[in-house]
Amino acid sequence: IQQVPDVIQAKKFEVVNDTGTPVATLESYKNSGVITARDKQGRLTFLVITENGPEGGLGTLSTMNSQGKNLVYLGATKDSNRGSVTTSNTKGVALVRIGATVGGEGAIETFNEKGKRIVGIGATVDGEGSISTENGKDSITAQLP
């Protein structure tokens, strides 16, 4: 009977395909953990990483197409430790973003294929509910009681 160790330690583990191309890795990077998956040509398509944020470690998950453009991002907003979800088109342009305003209120935004905002749902600087729509020329905003 073969014994299985309780713990195996290394700085990096790789899974390779039949051609020897690494298609999955588990490794240490800047004293944090990273998980990657790659397509059969070795192009990065999935990334889980712990990054340093203003208040400590932040976990992020990204999926990419074979050209390296982000399709889905789950992590933190760029300026805070608040959660964020962004989905993008095949060019890497954001289409939907769910996150938080600078004041910490929840927010949802949708964008057209060029990255121009179409709809925003969130809050004003006073914390009042707000919905805005844009068509590239005009903007309509409604405050909710």
Side-chain angles (χ1 to χ4, degrees):
I1 297 176
Q2 182 178 2
Q3 292 291 332
V4 177
D6 290 337
V7 176
I8 298 173
Q9 291 184 329
K11 290 188 179 183
K12 184 175 184 177
F13 291 97
E14 284 186 344
V15 175
V16 298
N17 63 16
D18 290 339
T19 64
T21 303
V23 292
T25 62
L26 177 60
E27 62 187 291
S28 171
Y29 176 73
K30 294 186 177 180
N31 295 319
S32 295
V34 178
I35 301 169
T36 65
R38 298 173 184 275
D39 66 14
K40 63 183 179 180
Q41 284 80 30
R43 296 176 294 215
L44 185 65
T45 58
F46 179 81
L47 173 68
V48 177
I49 189 168
T50 300
E51 300 178 90
N52 291 323
E55 297 177 14
L58 303 171
T60 64
L61 180 146
S62 299
T63 64
M64 295 73 105
N65 62 18
S66 59
Q67 288 76 43
K69 303 294 183 183
N70 273 338
L71 298 175
V72 177
Y73 170 84
L74 302 169
T77 55
K78 293 184 185 334
D79 61 348
S80 71
N81 275 348
R82 296 181 187 98
S84 176
V85 177
T86 302
T87 62
S88 302
N89 64 18
T90 57
K91 297 176 183 174
V93 176
L95 298 175
V96 177
R97 185 174 295 133
I98 302 171
T101 65
V102 174
E105 293 87 4
I108 301 171
E109 296 178 293
T110 64
F111 305 88
N112 67 16
E113 73 281 356
K114 296 178 182 174
K116 177 77 176 158
R117 191 169 100 147
I118 300 170
V119 176
I121 301 173
T124 66
V125 293
D126 297 328
E128 301 292 325
S130 175
I131 298 174
S132 65
T133 63
E134 301 173 28
N135 64 8
K137 299 175 192 165
D138 304 311
S139 176
I140 300 169
T141 301
Q143 281 187 276
L144 307 174

